[in-house]
Amino acid sequence: MRRHLPYCTSSFLGLLPFWILCTSSTNKCTVRHEVADCSHLKLTYIPDDLPFNITVLNLTHNQLRGLPPANFTRYSQLTVLDGGFNSISKLEPELCQNLPMLKVLSLQHNELSQLSDKMFMFCVNLTELHLMSNSIHKIQNNPFKKQKNLIKLDLSHNSLSSTKLGTQLQLENLQELLLTNNKIKALRSEELDFLGKSSLQKLELSSNQIKEFSPGCFHAIGKLFGLFLNNVQLGPSLAENLCLELSNTSIQNLSLSNIQLNRITNMTFFGLKQTSLTMLDLSHNSLNVIGNNSFVWLPHLKYFFLEYNNIQHLSSYSFYGLSNLRYLNLKRSFTKQSISLTSLPKIDDLSFQWLKCLEFLNMEENNIPGTKSNMFTGLINLKYLSLSNTFTSLKTLTNETFLSLAYSPLLILNLTKNQISKIESGAFFWLGHLKVLDLGLNQIEQEITGEEWRGLENIFEIYLSYNKYLRLTSSSFALVPGLQRLMLRRVALKNVDISPSPFHPLRNLTILDLSNNNMANINDGMLEGLEKLEILDLQHNNLARFWKLANPGGPVHFLKGLSHLHILNLESNGFDEIPVEAFKDLFELKSINLGLNNLNIFPPSVFDDQVSLKSLNLQKNLITSIEKNVFGPAFKNLSNLDMSFNPFDCTCESIAWFVNWINKTHTNISELSTHYLCNTPPRYHGFPVMLFDTSPCKDSAPFELLFMINTSVLLIFVFAVLLIHFEGWRITFYWNVSVHRVLGFKELEGQPEMFEYSAYIIHAHRDRDWVWEHFSSMEEKDQSLKFCLEERDFEAGVLGLEAIVNSIKRSRKIVFVVTEHLLKDPLCKRFKVHHAVQQAIEQNLDSIILIFLEDIPDYKLNHALCLRRGMFKSHCILNWPVQKERINAFHHKLRVALGSRNSVH
Ligand SMILES: *[C@@H]1O[C@H](CO)[C@@H](O)[C@H](O)[C@H]1NC(C)=O
Ligand SMILES: *[C@@H]1O[C@H](CO)[C@@H](O)[C@H](O)[C@H]1NC(C)=O
Ligand SMILES: *[C@@H]1O[C@H](CO)[C@@H](O)[C@H](O)[C@H]1NC(C)=O
Ligand SMILES: *[C@@H]1O[C@H](CO)[C@@H](O)[C@H](O)[C@H]1NC(C)=O
Ligand SMILES: *[C@@H]1O[C@H](CO)[C@@H](O)[C@H](O)[C@H]1NC(C)=O
Ligand SMILES: *[C@@H]1O[C@H](CO)[C@@H](O)[C@H](O)[C@H]1NC(C)=O
Ligand SMILES: *[C@@H]1O[C@H](CO)[C@@H](O)[C@H](O)[C@H]1NC(C)=O
Ligand SMILES: *[C@@H]1O[C@H](CO)[C@@H](O)[C@H](O)[C@H]1NC(C)=O
């Protein structure tokens, strides 16, 4: 079977033995529901392994030379056997014996040249036998004698020179005998009398070279309802002869297209007067003259085809007698050769007055000068009138142009391509039943005041597209409030932004086409209240400005309230921005076309209300990324997506979600591999989006997290190391401070009586003069200050460690007089400083004051005393000024420091 082929060939690579097994046992036919299709397989044999219960076997377009009966025994259930387009030149009678159920046998386009009596002897159940396009030139005896059930026999495109298919009555159930394109030159009764018991719906003899209808030829046939003689060069006299032969037959349908019937007189169809002919085809006849009363013999005629002729003049009696006609086709029926006025066809007033039953009249593509006041008078049943490209000078439609249709119940009027330039008030006043008015493809150039439509009380659709210039007013459609479809494409529409809107009265409007108008001015009330609108075409305008954030007054939400909108076309408007509420509440939107704009960024949730979206077109924009939070809702139920030709950015962030979606979705996206190409990054330029590998992106979230954690940890570590290295002292110091705090060492502030001294002065022995000089003088000036000076307050020699500790404890502050000497003083280094700092930690940092008499770098201070300037508040660090005039300021600062509270803030 055909579908096994790829399997077989692919197996070939690895499994050669299986491949051989495969091809030898399986043909390539497809079998579905007992129908086997073996066409186009270059078969030279009949497949012998199809299911035995198949009922249809199609063997067309192969290289079969015959249909050997034995090879069909397996398929005894066949009802349809199609052996067309092979090289079969003979058929054994036993075939039908083996196929008793066969109903349809097709052997078209083969090489059968002779049909023997026995050939179809056993094919008794056949209803259709197709033998066209063989080379059958002669039929002897009675090959179809047994085909009592045959309904259709097709022998067209052979070389038969006679209609004689048998010598005795037969084919009593035949309905269609097709003998098109043979070499039949005459119809003779003795060559048709084998059909004496048949009721032929269709005797098809087109494209033969018939030159003779011998007397009684059609009466030889049991009943003849339809005769087709297209493309037989009969001419007027043989046609008349034909009709005479058809008199008193059952003929209903007569097709005489392209028989060179260039004139019709009141005698041409005389022979048909006793018939009930209902259909007559006289198209493509170069018919020039129709004599008065020519069709008076055809009172039953319903369908009359006269298209593609060359009629000069239709007089008021040309159609006389066609009182039952329903359908008349006059497309290109009239002279077309020249535009000179003299050869323009003439249609007399009241020409159609007899056609009381006519419902459909097609007069397209003619050269008729204009309407006359009684042109269509009498067409009291006319419902459809096509006047497309019918008139040469119908520039203005006045209130009298269609006066003659006043009594016609016209439903559809087609006036396209007539170069109409103006519609005057009340032009359609007479057409109160009209539902569809097509005025497209004209040159209409005017302001639509609304009076044009006066009287169109039942109008459903007005098609005005492709005109020259239409200027609207608020009342343009006020007289046709029931209008449901309005087409205004490419009409250079002006004044649409008028208020109230021209469309305001059209509450039942379902389709509005405003496309190709280059409109740049609308207002947000333009479509207000059109709640039934389903289709809105706004493509090829200039609406970009209205969606810009920067638009004065903000974006214009011209779609708001269109709650039943299904199809929205906004292609080619230059949009480069979409406001987030552009499609808000348009829950029924099924199709959005935003193609050919300049859109790049879509606000998240812009499509959130488009839950029923089926089709989305965003082709040829500037979209780089397709993100879930924008397109997720729109893509959910989509059946068609077009985002081709966008400059996609092939990075994980931009398109990974899209590519994953493509791989899962059933949405139809055509040309995915060729029209969806990456633009950036440079290394992916021109690369198909669908091939973008998203596997690295899948892990990117955890990977990124891991990366972030790793780097953070590393950074924190590095920072900590650096911090400890450079600021470790500070950490330890503050750590100690905190620990003491937490453990409850309270500041003993507020009980100054606890302290005996204002400050304990730590200094090197060598600096004692300076200390004495400055601190004792301070004490003299300020009675509240009392310093603990080692040289003065300790008894000489009793400089015991215990005494120092006690004194420090009884001092509110500790003052370090920092000099190079202090840094070298062993006692200070080892004990005093340590103890002072300990106390400072317990009490508070403010309790230590450093006075630098010299400039000591911090590292030296740290190295010698494990102190740093950074441990203390700036007001606790004082520098002995070099300039004398600043000494007062120094004292002031020192007093402030001594008076400050002991606390860390
Ligand atoms: C018919 O069947 C015979 C034997 O089964 C086979 O040899 C022959 O090729 C077949 N002929 C056609 C035309 O299939
Ligand atoms: C025809 O035969 C196939 C198996 O060869 C079987 O699956 C199918 O049901 C049969 N059809 C009928 C209508 O019996
Ligand atoms: C057989 O197949 C051909 C081509 O595939 C097709 O045109 C023809 O209609 C088929 N015949 C029948 C009976 O289905
Ligand atoms: C004709 O077909 C019917 C079934 O439709 C069948 O019973 C009958 O046997 C067939 N006739 C012949 C002669 O095989
Ligand atoms: C046919 O027309 C001719 C004149 O063209 C007229 O003399 C004749 O009476 C008409 N015959 C019929 C049957 O109307
Ligand atoms: C057509 O309109 C003109 C005025 O424009 C008026 O005089 C005339 O009576 C109208 N004709 C019909 C048939 O209403
Ligand atoms: C009017 O006729 C033109 C030309 O035949 C056709 O294309 C158009 O569809 C017709 N309009 C209507 C409403 O049928
Ligand atoms: C609009 O349609 C409704 C329902 O089909 C109908 O009842 C109403 O009359 C229509 N309005 C106009 C102005 O024709």
Side-chain angles (χ1 to χ4, degrees):
M1 272 159 262
R2 187 184 296 214
R3 64 174 176 272
H4 288 175
L5 180 64
Y7 167 73
C8 294
T9 44
S10 66
S11 312
F12 171 71
L13 295 170
L15 300 161
L16 193 60
F18 282 96
W19 177 71
I20 292 167
L21 194 71
C22 217
T23 44
S24 63
S25 72
T26 312
N27 58 70
K28 303 149 195 165
C29 305
T30 51
V31 181
R32 286 179 75 234
H33 310 296
E34 283 83 49
V35 175
D37 184 359
C38 301
S39 59
H40 294 279
L41 293 175
K42 297 188 174 152
L43 294 178
T44 54
Y45 59 92
I46 311 299
D48 57 2
D49 55 352
L50 298 169
F52 58 84
N53 60 4
I54 53 168
T55 58
V56 178
L57 176 55
N58 193 336
L59 291 167
T60 56
H61 302 275
N62 282 299
Q63 294 164 6
L64 300 171
R65 303 188 151 271
L67 301 172
N71 303 51
F72 286 90
T73 45
R74 181 182 167 84
Y75 310 121
S76 60
Q77 306 293 303
L78 277 188
T79 58
V80 178
L81 175 59
D82 193 345
F85 298 90
N86 279 289
S87 312
I88 299 164
S89 54
K90 69 179 183 7
L91 200 75
E92 280 96 10
E94 292 77 16
L95 179 69
C96 281
Q97 226 170 4
N98 291 344
L99 303 173
M101 318 292 266
L102 201 61
K103 282 190 158 12
V104 179
L105 176 59
S106 303
L107 292 165
Q108 73 279 19
H109 291 270
N110 275 292
E111 292 168 11
L112 297 170
S113 57
Q114 287 199 317
L115 303 181
S116 75
D117 262 14
K118 288 183 183 161
M119 212 177 228
F120 305 111
M121 194 165 71
F122 301 109
C123 304
V124 293
N125 271 350
L126 276 192
T127 57
E128 291 184 26
L129 179 54
H130 299 278
L131 295 167
M132 63 276 209
S133 299
N134 277 280
S135 38
I136 304 162
H137 51 88
K138 185 148 193 178
I139 289 176
Q140 280 164 331
N141 303 325
N142 296 293
F144 308 113
K145 190 173 60 192
K146 299 278 184 176
Q147 274 65 55
K148 289 198 191 323
N149 294 312
L150 203 64
I151 290 170
K152 183 171 183 177
L153 176 56
D154 190 349
L155 281 161
S156 26
H157 292 270
N158 277 290
S159 308
L160 295 171
S161 55
S162 156
T163 58
K164 186 167 180 142
L165 307 178
T167 59
Q168 61 189 76
L169 279 175
Q170 52 192 282
L171 294 169
E172 42 270 64
N173 280 306
L174 197 66
Q175 291 179 10
E176 294 186 27
L177 176 56
L178 312 180
L179 291 164
T180 314
N181 234 306
N182 274 286
K183 296 194 167 128
I184 298 163
K185 295 212 161 56
L187 297 189
R188 300 195 179 93
S189 59
E190 65 272 23
E191 292 175 352
L192 287 163
D193 58 11
F194 67 98
L195 294 168
K197 285 195 163 178
S198 321
S199 295
L200 284 188
Q201 293 298 332
K202 189 170 186 179
L203 175 57
E204 173 60 276
L205 289 164
S206 298
S207 304
N208 277 289
Q209 291 155 14
I210 298 170
K211 286 279 168 241
E212 182 191 341
F213 300 99
S214 77
C217 58
F218 298 116
H219 288 274
I221 302 168
K223 273 189 173 153
L224 179 61
F225 293 105
L227 177 62
F228 293 77
L229 285 164
N230 306 326
N231 316 317
V232 180
Q233 300 181 7
L234 297 178
S237 74
L238 209 49
E240 193 175 324
N241 191 344
L242 164 72
C243 292
L244 286 170
E245 283 309 320
L246 283 169
S247 68
N248 285 311
T249 63
S250 316
I251 192 79
Q252 287 181 347
N253 301 333
L254 180 58
S255 189
L256 300 171
S257 177
N258 189 21
I259 62 159
Q260 299 187 340
L261 184 66
N262 54 15
R263 53 174 54 245
I264 294 173
T265 69
N266 61 4
M267 290 312 291
T268 308
F269 298 109
F270 171 73
L272 297 172
K273 72 171 176 181
Q274 304 294 339
T275 67
S276 42
L277 196 74
T278 53
M279 190 282 281
L280 178 61
D281 186 351
L282 296 176
S283 60
H284 297 274
N285 269 310
S286 312
L287 183 60
N288 203 287
V289 178
I290 298 178
N292 282 347
N293 306 319
S294 290
F295 307 113
V296 72
W297 322 110
L298 308 175
H300 303 285
L301 201 64
K302 286 187 178 164
Y303 305 94
F304 195 4
F305 298 88
L306 271 170
E307 65 266 30
Y308 297 95
N309 278 298
N310 197 23
I311 301 167
Q312 264 293 334
H313 180 204
L314 211 55
S315 82
S316 60
Y317 275 84
S318 297
F319 288 140
Y320 178 66
L322 292 172
S323 55
N324 265 304
L325 202 62
R326 307 282 154 87
Y327 175 103
L328 176 58
N329 193 340
L330 291 171
K331 178 174 181 175
R332 272 213 218 192
S333 286
F334 299 92
T335 310
K336 198 84 187 180
Q337 290 109 336
S338 154
I339 9 171
S340 77
L341 277 171
T342 50
S343 71
L344 282 183
K346 205 161 153 254
I347 298 181
D348 288 353
D349 256 356
L350 298 167
S351 288
F352 300 111
Q353 63 176 309
W354 318 109
L355 312 180
K356 303 282 179 218
C357 290
L358 198 68
E359 293 177 3
F360 180 104
L361 176 57
N362 183 350
M363 295 184 69
E364 284 170 19
E365 297 187 36
N366 282 300
N367 229 359
I368 299 160
T371 58
K372 294 184 175 167
S373 55
N374 280 307
M375 185 168 186
F376 299 109
T377 304
L379 293 169
I380 55 171
N381 272 301
L382 195 64
K383 297 198 170 68
Y384 178 99
L385 176 58
S386 180
L387 296 172
S388 169
N389 194 12
T390 298
F391 301 104
T392 52
S393 50
L394 194 69
K395 295 266 176 289
T396 305
L397 302 184
T398 71
N399 61 358
E400 306 204 331
T401 307
F402 299 113
L403 187 57
S404 63
L405 285 164
Y407 296 99
S408 305
L410 205 60
L411 299 179
I412 300 177
L413 176 59
N414 195 334
L415 285 165
T416 55
K417 304 187 212 166
N418 279 304
Q419 303 194 317
I420 298 166
S421 61
K422 176 135 180 59
I423 310 168
E424 288 186 358
S425 299
F428 308 105
F429 183 73
W430 320 105
L431 309 179
H433 295 91
L434 203 65
K435 289 200 169 307
V436 179
L437 175 58
D438 192 343
L439 285 161
L441 296 136
N442 279 295
Q443 307 286 330
I444 301 170
E445 187 179 7
Q446 70 184 76
E447 180 177 77
I448 304 288
T449 64
E451 283 301 317
E452 297 81 0
W453 320 123
R454 185 170 286 284
L456 291 173
E457 277 157 23
N458 284 294
I459 198 75
F460 168 86
E461 171 173 357
I462 295 179
Y463 188 97
L464 271 166
S465 295
Y466 303 104
N467 274 291
K468 214 165 178 182
Y469 169 86
L470 296 183
R471 187 180 172 81
L472 298 184
T473 65
S474 286
S475 61
S476 285
F477 304 102
L479 290 175
V480 285
L483 201 64
Q484 293 187 31
R485 298 177 178 179
L486 178 57
M487 312 298 179
L488 291 164
R489 174 178 300 194
R490 219 215 66 202
V491 292
L493 204 56
K494 287 285 146 18
N495 214 19
V496 200
D497 56 335
I498 193 171
S499 185
S501 161
F503 314 116
H504 186 70
L506 304 178
R507 296 290 150 150
N508 282 352
L509 205 63
T510 57
I511 304 181
L512 178 58
D513 186 349
L514 297 172
S515 57
N516 297 67
N517 280 306
N518 218 6
M519 289 191 299
N521 280 314
I522 59 170
N523 59 43
D524 60 351
M526 179 177 80
L527 304 170
E528 200 176 281
L530 304 186
E531 276 166 20
K532 295 195 175 165
L533 201 63
E534 290 174 11
I535 302 179
L536 177 59
D537 283 321
L538 282 168
Q539 64 270 31
H540 294 275
N541 279 298
N542 211 345
L543 304 179
R545 174 164 69 87
F546 301 100
W547 271 359
K548 279 191 200 293
L549 213 57
N551 186 45
V556 177
H557 292 110
F558 55 86
L559 302 173
K560 71 165 179 279
L562 304 179
S563 54
H564 286 92
L565 201 61
H566 289 168
I567 300 176
L568 173 62
N569 194 337
L570 290 166
E571 199 178 78
S572 292
N573 265 286
F575 288 122
D576 52 4
E577 275 179 61
I578 288 195
V580 66
E581 302 206 330
F583 307 122
K584 190 163 177 286
D585 295 334
L586 308 184
F587 291 104
E588 294 185 16
L589 214 46
K590 293 188 167 46
S591 166
I592 302 179
N593 187 347
L594 276 166
L596 295 135
N597 281 295
N598 299 319
L599 294 166
N600 177 8
I601 313 277
F602 289 76
S605 358
V606 66
F607 296 119
D608 273 9
D609 288 350
Q610 276 63 65
V611 285
S612 355
L613 204 64
K614 292 269 170 266
S615 164
L616 178 61
N617 187 340
L618 286 165
Q619 66 153 325
K620 297 187 182 159
N621 274 281
L622 300 173
I623 300 169
T624 50
S625 78
I626 303 172
E627 281 151 35
K628 188 181 180 190
N629 60 355
V630 177
F631 294 102
F635 282 7
K636 207 169 267 166
N637 295 311
L638 216 55
S639 8
N640 276 298
L641 175 67
D642 188 349
M643 278 194 152
S644 54
F645 300 109
N646 274 292
F648 297 107
D649 173 45
C650 289
T651 58
C652 287
E653 305 82 71
S654 298
I655 61 155
W657 177 77
F658 181 55
V659 175
N660 287 331
W661 177 80
I662 287 176
N663 290 337
K664 279 181 294 183
T665 186
H666 296 296
T667 304
N668 176 30
I669 310 170
S670 53
E671 310 288 359
L672 191 53
S673 56
T674 49
H675 295 166
Y676 292 71
L677 303 177
C678 305
N679 186 50
T680 50
R683 75 192 159 107
Y684 281 128
H685 185 83
F687 185 79
V689 165
M690 63 183 291
L691 300 181
F692 179 77
D693 182 11
T694 60
S695 53
C697 311
K698 283 199 193 87
D699 309 327
S700 86
F703 177 77
E704 270 170 21
L705 194 65
L706 200 68
F707 175 78
M708 267 160 57
I709 290 171
N710 278 347
T711 32
S712 320
V713 167
L714 193 69
L715 280 174
I716 289 168
F717 178 74
V718 168
F719 178 75
V721 166
L722 290 174
L723 191 70
I724 289 165
H725 183 77
F726 290 109
E727 300 280 317
W729 58 270
R730 211 189 284 269
I731 294 165
T732 343
F733 178 74
Y734 282 101
W735 173 252
N736 285 333
V737 171
S738 309
V739 166
H740 279 92
R741 285 282 183 75
V742 172
L743 293 181
F745 295 95
K746 289 262 160 50
E747 183 186 351
L748 304 169
E749 174 81 64
Q751 300 148 329
E753 60 279 11
M754 253 197 78
F755 300 110
E756 193 176 328
Y757 305 109
S758 303
Y760 183 93
I761 314 294
I762 296 174
H763 59 90
H765 185 68
R766 309 231 329 240
D767 297 324
R768 64 187 185 278
D769 294 342
W770 183 90
V771 168
W772 183 257
E773 181 188 338
H774 285 90
F775 285 93
S776 57
S777 68
M778 271 179 81
E779 276 178 337
E780 282 165 22
K781 278 183 197 156
D782 189 341
Q783 295 301 317
S784 64
L785 289 175
K786 186 164 184 278
F787 300 108
C788 179
L789 303 171
E790 287 167 9
E791 281 77 13
R792 181 188 67 183
D793 299 321
F794 296 162
E795 293 107 76
V798 194
L799 217 125
L801 297 180
E802 206 171 326
I804 294 176
V805 171
N806 284 335
S807 300
I808 287 181
K809 273 193 181 153
R810 281 185 281 140
S811 303
R812 211 164 145 248
K813 308 257 170 181
I814 304 153
V815 176
F816 283 80
V817 180
V818 187
T819 57
E820 291 283 351
H821 306 305
L822 183 75
L823 302 188
K824 287 172 190 151
D825 190 307
L827 186 63
C828 289
K829 269 170 82 171
R830 272 192 226 116
F831 176 73
K832 285 191 216 169
V833 170
H834 172 76
H835 188 75
V837 170
Q838 203 56 41
Q839 167 148 349
I841 286 168
E842 285 170 19
Q843 273 186 5
N844 230 314
L845 297 174
D846 278 8
S847 62
I848 287 182
I849 298 168
L850 302 181
I851 298 174
F852 289 90
L853 295 191
E854 298 160 13
D855 193 15
I856 310 285
D858 215 35
Y859 74 93
K860 277 194 179 170
L861 189 64
N862 179 34
H863 195 250
L865 304 177
C866 297
L867 289 178
R868 286 174 191 268
R869 281 181 176 82
M871 287 176 179
F872 309 99
K873 297 222 168 144
S874 57
H875 71 262
C876 298
I877 298 168
L878 304 171
N879 292 297
W880 179 246
V882 185
Q883 303 94 331
K884 281 243 162 56
E885 57 273 23
R886 289 201 183 171
I887 289 176
N888 275 338
F890 169 82
H891 283 296
H892 175 72
K893 274 191 194 168
L894 181 59
R895 271 197 299 274
V896 169
L898 288 170
S900 74
R901 293 172 72 246
N902 292 354
S903 66
V904 181
H905 292 289

